Amino acid sequence: MIDRDRFPVDPWRLIETRYSEEGVGETLFSIGNGYLGLRGNHIEGRGAHEHGTFINGLHETWPIRHAEQAYGFAEVGQTIVNAPDAKVMRVYVDDEPISFDEADVREYRRTLDMRTGVLERLVVWETPSGKRVRMRDERIVSFEERHLAILRLEVVVENSDAPVTISCQILNRQDGAGVYAGTPTQAQKPGFDPRKAEKIADRVLEPGEHWQDGLRSALSYRVADSGMTVAVVADHVLETENEYSARALVEADIAKNVFRVQAKAGVPITVTKLVSYHTSRGVPPRELVDRCRRSLDRVAVEGVETQFQRQRDWLDAFWERSDVQIGGHDDLQQATRWCLLQLAQAAARADGTGVPAKGVSGSGYSGHYFWDTEIYVLPFLAYTSPQWARNALRARVLMLPAARRRAAQLNEAGALFPWRTINGEEASAYYAAGTAQYHINADVSFALGKYVRATGDTEFLRREGADVAVETARLWATLGFWRSAQVVENADAADGLQTFHIHGVTGPDEYTTVVNDNLYTNVMARYNLRFAAEVVREIRETYPEDYRDLVERTGLFEGEAESWERAAEAMFIPYSESLGIHPQDSLFLEREVWDLAHTPSSQRPLLLHFHPLVIYRFQVLKQADVVLALFLQGNHFSPEEKRADFDYYDPLTTGDSTLSAVVQSILAAEVGYQDLALKYFEESIFVDLHDLHNNAADGVHVASAGGVWTALVCGFGGMRDYEGELSFDPRLPAAWPSLTFPMKWKESEVTVTITAHELRLRVRSGAPVPFTVRDEAYIATEGEEVVVPLADQGPLIPGRPTLRQFADARREDGTRLSASVPVITTSIPVLAPPE
């Protein structure tokens, strides 16, 4: 559990009361705006798990070397680049630096204020000669000014005169060594972990121009292989009544602005560091330097305090449309708001680039974009900040040329979006758990449909989004195939029953790869095909000019949309009559069951302790697969089917993925396991704050944070939007007095409050909102609050599903299911040959 002495509960602030260099704190106190991110490194710039300054999309490419090459394997890897670090502002008193492992620290407090967006640290320390020094530093990454960060440091020697030096630096840590790179802490543990970023041995940032002009310093670079460019310019403002002098140094990989102050007792010294970053896919570094200069010139005119006030105003508006309030539980409230802030810091100013799995908080997963965005982040964006959702979807539109090339490479029509990417090309070297996850196509199309349903933005759909729907549907039409089976009861049928199948794919569960008829994939592909056909038909009938443009852009031919509908209607959905469940794929039930209850915690997560082939031979899940389909396409499954499927798959799910707990929480709440739903929710909400997966040091789990919103609104709030109809079926935890959340629906702004006995929906502004609560229809108009009595919070089932249910379970062929744990076989000694 979280150390509440170190991290006390506060509903609006994350507070740290003891100094630490471990990497989790760097992640928790990261700040960003979706474009630029600064890890929560201390300004002294020394020991750290990872000194990180990350810019969304700034990456290096490198050749992937496969042990055995095959046609179509991903050939070029992509890794996020650590941008030049401008956070360093070192303080020396009597020419001695502050060093936390040696200093006599009397006070320490670090605070991330989620209302203002300001990260603040207060330190009081005493030198060996008895001089008491108070330091207060704060920083923001501006949401309004995408390219701007501000760092401000105030130093006061409280009880004595003393010489004080403040060394403000910009360091190229990507290629640096020693002091440039920083000293790793003991928290860094070596060892294999596929979730970490690749390390590139060669120089990555090739120097462009570097200069200093007064108190301004500039560094610029070209990324060696990808050809991207980056520039950073820092300006400095010193305010003090003490006497001081300034000196400067600039080289290709370092810039220093050093202030030497003859400090009088009690007289403050304030240094404000204004930093601008710009990047490009090919603009010369010199041009980027000019852009940085213009950004800083504008701030100089507007004033620093204006930037801090704008940050507060921006967040006021964000919380008004996004804040989910949990009554009576400040610990959960603090964690919820931290998660929601992370979504803003990962997506707000992504502005047409993707949302990386770690946002801009760390190098985990190499800065790649996954399907996580579409399924776990887009719902929050669509219902609270639709413009951000539109920007994220535009990132997929911009990837279409590369996705078309990838589909052709895999002998398919249409487009195949990459499993892992930054620049739009596939970067996953392990095809079985990567490229084979074709469901990414359906996930993107699903997110597009959800955005259009939530916002009514048909203009985006007609002009750009329709291309995504068409090209993803085309892939399913060629990847899948028709199969006929003779129907004995109808001997006159010429071809028998025809079904549409999809083989050779991997679903969301990466512990089961390259299978036939994965249920999640088939269910989501069915949605994709239907959605694309509906979009084409609507544009053709209502917007003939847009339809002609769509045909010209995509080569859509007569009857193509209708063929997608036929495939969707015939989609094969696996079902086991003997077990009364939906198998995860055609052969899933043939495997033996992995007994997770008797698997030692020392062997978790499984991917770090077992060869993939060992895992693939068992019924065991890394994350929710069938259960995710039950949520996303819940209107196609009965309550009884959902209960049976959840009971079967929950004991098989390891939770080794941070994407799993939120989905399991939602379905547990829906089918009636309400205590279990709350348990899963608390796992998801504290994934990073409690470091439950031991990898929070590598960056925020952004998708899990998005899932927290979904678990609150769709799980406990019971909100659904199937087929564009807004509905509620609440499942409020018994210990929660209330749950309140705002959301946008079409052109209206709505607030929903749920208590044990009623649901209240108020339209704050906009058109009337029709909705249902447990199949009863209501309409709320602007300024009106509709109050709906609730008899209960749904069914209540104690405990949780266990493997005991498999005791007498049999497959279709009559064989019994059995559960076990893989064991390591001891080596057999080699006998000596006879003499």
Side-chain angles (χ1 to χ4, degrees):
M1 296 294 291
I2 194 168
D3 181 350
R4 286 303 180 186
D5 288 332
R6 180 183 169 195
F7 296 106
V9 173
D10 184 300
W12 278 108
R13 298 181 298 168
L14 181 66
I15 303 169
E16 180 184 54
T17 61
R18 294 197 305 272
Y19 172 81
S20 174
E21 286 184 343
E22 49 84 26
V24 175
E26 296 171 15
T27 292
L28 300 185
F29 290 96
S30 294
I31 57 173
N33 62 10
Y35 171 74
L36 171 64
L38 308 181
R39 274 179 68 78
N41 304 120
H42 296 283
I43 61 171
E44 290 70 36
R46 293 186 173 85
H49 173 84
E50 179 181 33
H51 288 285
T53 300
F54 297 107
I55 300 175
N56 193 348
L58 179 66
H59 70 281
E60 177 62 308
T61 54
W62 44 276
I64 298 175
R65 293 181 173 85
H66 298 274
E68 295 186 22
Q69 183 72 39
Y71 177 80
F73 278 12
E75 297 179 350
V76 180
Q78 305 152 39
T79 301
I80 195 168
V81 169
N82 197 343
D85 181 7
K87 298 188 296 294
V88 180
M89 301 175 75
R90 292 177 178 159
V91 176
Y92 302 79
V93 177
D94 290 333
D95 293 326
E96 294 293 332
I98 179 174
S99 177
F100 280 93
D101 54 352
E102 299 176 358
D104 181 5
V105 177
R106 300 301 179 90
E107 294 181 35
Y108 174 89
R109 190 176 184 88
R110 181 161 59 159
T111 304
L112 174 60
D113 191 321
M114 294 178 276
R115 290 165 299 189
T116 65
V118 177
L119 176 63
E120 179 186 76
R121 188 191 67 168
L122 174 68
V123 180
V124 177
W125 56 292
E126 198 165 285
T127 69
S129 62
K131 294 174 182 176
R132 187 179 178 91
V133 183
R134 179 176 296 272
M135 294 169 48
R136 176 177 172 268
D137 64 84
E138 56 187 0
R139 67 180 70 156
I140 63 170
V141 174
S142 174
F143 286 109
E144 288 281 2
E145 296 288 340
R146 184 175 187 240
H147 302 277
L148 176 67
I150 300 177
L151 301 96
R152 185 158 58 187
L153 168 66
E154 181 185 79
V155 180
V156 181
V157 183
E158 295 184 328
N159 62 351
S160 176
D161 296 351
V164 174
T165 299
I166 301 175
S167 178
C168 298
Q169 303 178 19
I170 308 175
L171 298 174
N172 172 16
R173 296 192 188 274
Q174 174 68 49
D175 300 295
V179 69
Y180 288 175
T183 305
T185 68
Q186 294 301 314
Q188 286 184 281
K189 298 178 181 179
F192 165 75
D193 190 336
R195 299 165 294 190
K196 293 183 178 293
E198 299 83 5
K199 302 299 182 185
I200 300 175
D202 298 330
R203 186 176 180 98
V204 173
L205 295 177
E206 297 176 341
E209 70 173 57
H210 54 273
W211 50 255
Q212 289 179 320
D213 180 11
L215 297 182
R216 273 191 182 177
S217 297
L219 299 178
S220 64
Y221 302 89
R222 179 184 179 278
V223 184
D225 196 65
S226 73
M228 292 194 70
T229 49
V230 57
V232 54
V233 177
D235 211 348
H236 303 80
V237 179
L238 178 65
E239 300 171 277
T240 185
E241 294 181 3
N242 297 298
E243 293 184 3
Y244 71 91
S245 62
R247 66 180 182 87
L249 166 72
V250 64
E251 298 174 355
D253 290 321
I254 186 171
K256 290 184 178 182
N257 288 87
V258 182
F259 303 97
R260 295 172 171 174
V261 184
Q262 301 302 315
K264 300 296 183 181
V267 180
I269 309 159
T270 302
V271 178
T272 303
K273 189 175 188 179
L274 309 169
V275 187
S276 179
Y277 288 87
H278 279 263
T279 55
S280 170
R281 292 192 179 273
V283 171
R286 175 169 292 183
E287 165 62 19
L288 296 186
V289 170
D290 289 342
R291 294 180 187 180
C292 292
R293 295 172 72 168
R294 290 195 294 271
S295 295
L296 295 182
D297 289 344
R298 186 166 58 253
V299 173
V301 171
E302 295 170 345
V304 172
E305 291 305 324
T306 298
Q307 311 309 318
F308 280 86
Q309 184 58 48
R310 283 182 177 176
Q311 190 83 338
R312 175 64 188 252
D313 294 344
W314 190 98
L315 281 164
D316 284 346
F318 169 76
W319 290 118
E320 182 179 3
R321 65 180 186 268
S322 309
D323 189 23
V324 181
Q325 299 175 44
I326 301 171
H329 292 273
D330 281 354
D331 58 337
L332 296 180
Q333 188 66 73
Q334 177 189 46
T336 296
R337 286 181 174 137
W338 184 87
C339 288
L340 299 183
L341 179 65
Q342 301 316 307
L343 295 171
Q345 294 192 153
R349 301 307 309 271
D351 292 10
T353 56
V355 179
K358 297 293 186 181
V360 283
S361 67
S363 63
Y365 290 115
S366 303
H368 291 170
Y369 318 138
F370 291 78
W371 67 295
D372 305 15
T373 298
E374 281 72 27
I375 297 301
Y376 293 92
V377 178
L378 254 295
F380 167 76
L381 304 184
Y383 290 113
T384 62
S385 302
Q387 183 62 43
W388 305 357
R390 179 175 173 142
N391 288 341
L393 289 167
R394 286 208 74 245
R396 291 299 188 183
V397 172
L398 295 173
M399 291 181 191
L400 268 175
R404 291 186 180 106
R405 293 193 297 270
R406 184 62 173 161
Q409 195 174 32
L410 272 73
N411 286 38
E412 309 298 344
L416 175 58
F417 284 104
W419 171 240
R420 298 180 65 153
T421 193
I422 297 177
N423 62 15
E425 304 289 345
E426 179 62 79
S428 175
Y430 184 46
Y431 73 90
T435 298
Q437 295 204 42
Y438 288 84
H439 67 82
I440 178 68
N441 263 28
D443 301 331
V444 173
S445 186
F446 177 81
L448 173 63
K450 180 171 283 290
Y451 166 75
V452 174
R453 285 197 305 272
T455 64
D457 187 359
T458 58
E459 187 270 341
F460 173 75
L461 179 64
R462 299 193 313 269
R463 298 184 185 278
E464 295 184 273
D467 297 38
V468 171
V470 166
E471 298 290 22
T472 52
R474 274 182 172 154
L475 177 120
W476 298 119
T478 57
L479 178 64
F481 65 95
W482 292 89
R483 177 166 287 174
S484 299
Q486 290 293 345
V487 181
V488 177
E489 294 82 0
N490 184 7
D492 295 331
D495 297 318
L497 180 66
Q498 283 200 319
T499 52
F500 194 77
H501 298 256
I502 300 173
H503 285 188
V505 301
T506 298
D509 169 33
E510 295 166 23
Y511 283 174
T512 313
T513 66
V514 193
V515 298
N516 296 341
D517 288 321
N518 168 255
L519 179 121
Y520 176 88
T521 303
N522 285 17
V523 167
M524 294 298 286
R526 180 176 64 182
Y527 166 87
N528 194 166
L529 291 162
R530 286 172 173 167
F531 173 67
E534 178 186 333
V535 167
V536 168
R537 183 166 49 250
E538 182 176 336
I539 295 176
R540 181 173 56 207
E541 295 174 356
T542 311
Y543 304 98
E545 290 187 9
D546 290 326
Y547 180 70
R548 286 193 292 272
D549 292 341
L550 177 64
V551 170
E552 184 176 344
R553 292 195 306 269
T554 65
L556 188 70
F557 57 83
E558 189 70 27
E560 189 173 8
E562 288 70 23
S563 71
W564 301 336
E565 287 184 311
R566 290 193 297 272
E569 293 307 313
M571 185 69 69
F572 178 73
I573 306 298
Y575 186 76
S576 168
E577 295 289 348
S578 63
L579 293 175
I581 65 160
H582 292 90
Q584 185 168 297
D585 59 72
S586 63
L587 293 178
F588 187 79
L589 300 181
E590 297 300 311
R591 303 178 177 91
E592 294 307 305
V593 175
W594 190 306
D595 189 350
L596 288 175
H598 293 92
T599 301
S601 58
S602 60
Q603 293 182 327
R604 308 283 285 271
L606 302 187
L607 79 162
L608 298 185
H609 297 91
F610 295 91
H611 190 283
L613 287 176
V614 176
I615 298 173
Y616 296 164
R617 296 184 185 115
F618 284 81
Q619 292 186 43
V620 63
L621 282 65
K622 182 182 179 187
Q623 65 196 70
D625 194 301
V626 171
V627 171
L628 180 57
L630 299 178
F631 167 53
L632 299 180
Q633 293 289 284
N635 52 328
H636 296 289
F637 298 89
S638 70
E640 295 75 20
E641 289 174 328
K642 292 178 185 178
R643 166 74 190 277
D645 285 344
F646 184 84
D647 283 353
Y648 189 88
Y649 288 104
D650 189 68
L652 302 179
T653 306
T654 63
D656 288 349
S657 168
T658 59
L659 301 181
S660 201
V662 289
V663 179
Q664 289 169 278
S665 175
I666 294 167
L667 258 293
E670 182 175 347
V671 303
Y673 291 103
Q674 296 199 21
D675 290 341
L676 180 60
L678 184 58
K679 176 181 180 294
Y680 276 133
F681 172 73
E682 290 177 350
E683 284 183 19
S684 62
I685 202 172
F686 291 117
V687 158
D688 290 317
L689 290 169
H690 285 192
D691 193 20
L692 296 182
H693 289 249
N694 298 311
N695 64 348
D698 298 327
V700 173
H701 291 87
V702 173
S704 180
V708 164
W709 181 90
T710 306
L712 286 165
V713 172
C714 300
F716 302 131
M719 188 274 282
R720 299 291 187 274
D721 64 347
Y722 299 135
E723 298 180 354
E725 301 294 330
L726 185 63
S727 67
F728 298 91
D729 187 3
R731 298 289 191 270
L732 186 71
W736 292 12
S738 64
L739 174 68
T740 300
F741 54 88
M743 58 180 291
K744 291 194 174 184
W745 179 252
K746 304 291 183 8
E747 298 299 323
S748 301
E749 295 183 344
V750 173
T751 298
V752 178
T753 299
I754 298 165
T755 64
H757 304 295
E758 64 184 21
L759 178 147
R760 302 195 303 272
L761 187 147
R762 180 169 63 90
V763 178
R764 303 194 308 275
S765 66
V769 175
F771 65 100
T772 63
V773 179
R774 296 176 180 169
D775 298 326
E776 291 290 328
Y778 303 88
I779 297 178
T781 59
E782 184 173 358
E784 176 190 11
E785 183 172 68
V786 174
V787 180
V788 181
L790 299 173
D792 53 45
Q793 292 294 326
L796 291 173
I797 305 172
R800 66 181 304 166
T802 69
L803 286 177
R804 287 193 297 273
Q805 66 182 301
F806 301 146
D808 297 315
R810 294 182 182 272
R811 303 179 178 88
E812 307 296 312
D813 61 3
T815 56
R816 189 188 302 273
L817 289 173
S818 61
S820 62
V821 178
V823 296
I824 299 175
T825 304
T826 57
S827 58
I828 300 174
V830 178
L831 298 178
E835 295 182 359

